[in-house]
Amino acid sequence: MVKDPNPKITVHGFNNLTKSLSFNIFDIAYAKTEQHRQEYIEYIDELYNAERLTEILTNVTKIIGANILNVARQDYDPQGASVTMLIAEHETPPDGTDWDEEAPGPLPDSVVGHLDKSHVTVHTYPESHPDNGISTFRVDVDVSTCGVISPLRALNYLIHSFDSDIVTIDYRVRGMTRDLDGTKHYIDHDINSIQNFLTEDTQNAYQMIDVNVYQENIFHTKMLLKDFDIDNYLFGAGRDEFNQEDLDQIEERLRTEMLEIFYSRNMG
């Protein structure tokens, strides 16, 4: 019989590892006129209001295996929202769940109910330039779990739940747990890259960069949407309201905004 090189860990008592996923998405738009800005605000209020964000976080808790203990949420004027959930995990993962496999989690249309100890939060940050028409909306999601399930199982669902031009993902495992022999374990699942927890269509849709510190169990991935269709960034009648020269300038501004956020530096 061949010995399993990566046997599952049987811990002594509760699994004391804390796994934290920080997920930031940026949704870029062009809204130059007052009418376009009003349409942008209505778009944000519909897509990122507290009710919809609560629904998304509820599904996240179902994916990672937890029960919701408390929910606090707030909409802001003129746009933006925050939702915080206190959750508690079950002692064992949902039936049939390969929680420790380095593989994508479920998509939004395949979420089923299961979860219950830590927290899930989401905050939104609208920002716009007063002169050049560029509006950048940021959503920050934090999922922290203590125990067996990794919040990476929720990553695939989260990315498909938002319109994302740029995505920044941080994952880290902290603390330690002991097996039956008393040996300390500082991580309890295999991970080579956050990218391996994304579906193939997501990997193909984005340019991605990894910055990982394996010995510290720190993993970082940045994603930039490859395809650019200017109609996805305009309001009103779209491209019909602009001449070609204006469209070229708008596209350059949008691309510059995305590249500066992706590389975290101003490009002049």
Side-chain angles (χ1 to χ4, degrees):
M1 183 177 68
V2 178
K3 185 177 181 181
D4 186 352
N6 297 299
K8 294 182 183 293
I9 299 170
T10 302
V11 300
H12 177 74
F14 183 72
N15 188 325
N16 290 307
L17 291 171
T18 298
K19 302 157 189 173
S20 300
L21 173 69
S22 296
F23 167 89
N24 314 103
I25 73 107
F26 295 86
D27 186 9
I28 316 299
Y30 181 81
K32 182 69 173 177
T33 69
E34 184 59 37
Q35 176 188 344
H36 293 171
R37 283 191 288 269
Q38 186 58 42
E39 290 182 28
Y40 171 72
I41 291 175
E42 292 174 0
Y43 158 77
I44 291 301
D45 285 343
E46 179 179 356
L47 199 61
Y48 300 110
N49 61 65
E51 182 178 358
R52 180 171 184 268
L53 295 176
T54 300
E55 179 183 353
I56 291 172
L57 293 194
T58 299
N59 285 333
V60 167
T61 62
K62 292 176 182 178
I63 293 168
I64 62 175
N67 292 323
I68 298 173
L69 304 178
N70 179 265
V71 179
R73 68 184 191 183
Q74 179 67 51
D75 282 308
Y76 302 111
D77 186 21
Q79 68 259 358
S82 295
V83 180
T84 299
M85 289 184 178
L86 180 65
I87 61 177
E89 291 177 6
H90 292 309
E91 294 181 358
T92 58
D95 293 340
T97 300
D98 294 323
W99 60 269
D100 56 353
E101 284 191 1
E102 192 177 19
L107 291 168
D109 59 359
S110 61
V111 174
V112 295
H114 287 106
L115 292 182
D116 169 71
K117 183 169 20 270
S118 282
H119 68 270
V120 184
T121 65
V122 58
H123 302 285
T124 63
Y125 301 89
E127 185 271 343
S128 61
H129 193 284
D131 298 320
N132 69 7
I134 298 297
S135 296
T136 300
F137 197 81
R138 188 177 102 235
V139 178
D140 290 357
V141 180
D142 290 291
V143 186
S144 180
T145 64
C146 298
V148 174
I149 298 296
S150 168
L152 283 169
R153 283 191 52 78
L155 180 59
N156 199 46
Y157 168 79
L158 285 168
I159 289 178
H160 283 78
S161 296
F162 298 101
D163 290 335
S164 310
D165 294 305
I166 303 104
V167 183
T168 304
I169 309 165
D170 293 287
Y171 178 67
R172 63 189 181 276
V173 181
R174 288 290 176 263
M176 62 86 181
T177 194
R178 298 179 190 271
D179 64 20
L180 296 179
D181 296 327
T183 302
K184 300 183 187 70
H185 295 270
Y186 301 94
I187 191 168
D188 61 354
H189 64 91
D190 294 331
I191 176 171
N192 176 263
S193 170
I194 292 173
Q195 296 185 36
N196 295 334
F197 291 85
L198 304 174
T199 55
E200 185 176 353
D201 66 317
T202 300
Q203 295 184 45
N204 292 335
Y206 288 87
Q207 172 188 340
M208 291 191 264
I209 296 176
D210 273 6
V211 181
N212 300 321
V213 186
Y214 296 106
Q215 66 271 26
E216 297 296 337
N217 296 322
I218 297 174
F219 305 88
H220 175 79
T221 297
K222 293 196 295 185
M223 305 166 55
L224 175 65
L225 193 66
K226 292 179 182 178
D227 292 337
F228 184 91
D229 184 348
I230 196 168
D231 288 325
N232 295 330
Y233 301 89
L234 302 177
F235 292 90
R239 63 169 61 239
D240 293 339
E241 295 189 21
F242 305 94
N243 60 42
Q244 190 56 51
E245 182 179 356
D246 289 338
L247 289 172
D248 291 341
Q249 292 179 356
I250 293 170
E251 180 173 340
E252 181 179 358
R253 291 176 187 174
L254 289 167
R255 287 184 177 275
T256 299
E257 179 83 358
M258 295 177 194
L259 290 172
E260 288 184 341
I261 294 173
F262 183 66
Y263 290 110
S264 302
R265 65 172 182 269
N266 296 323
M267 296 186 172

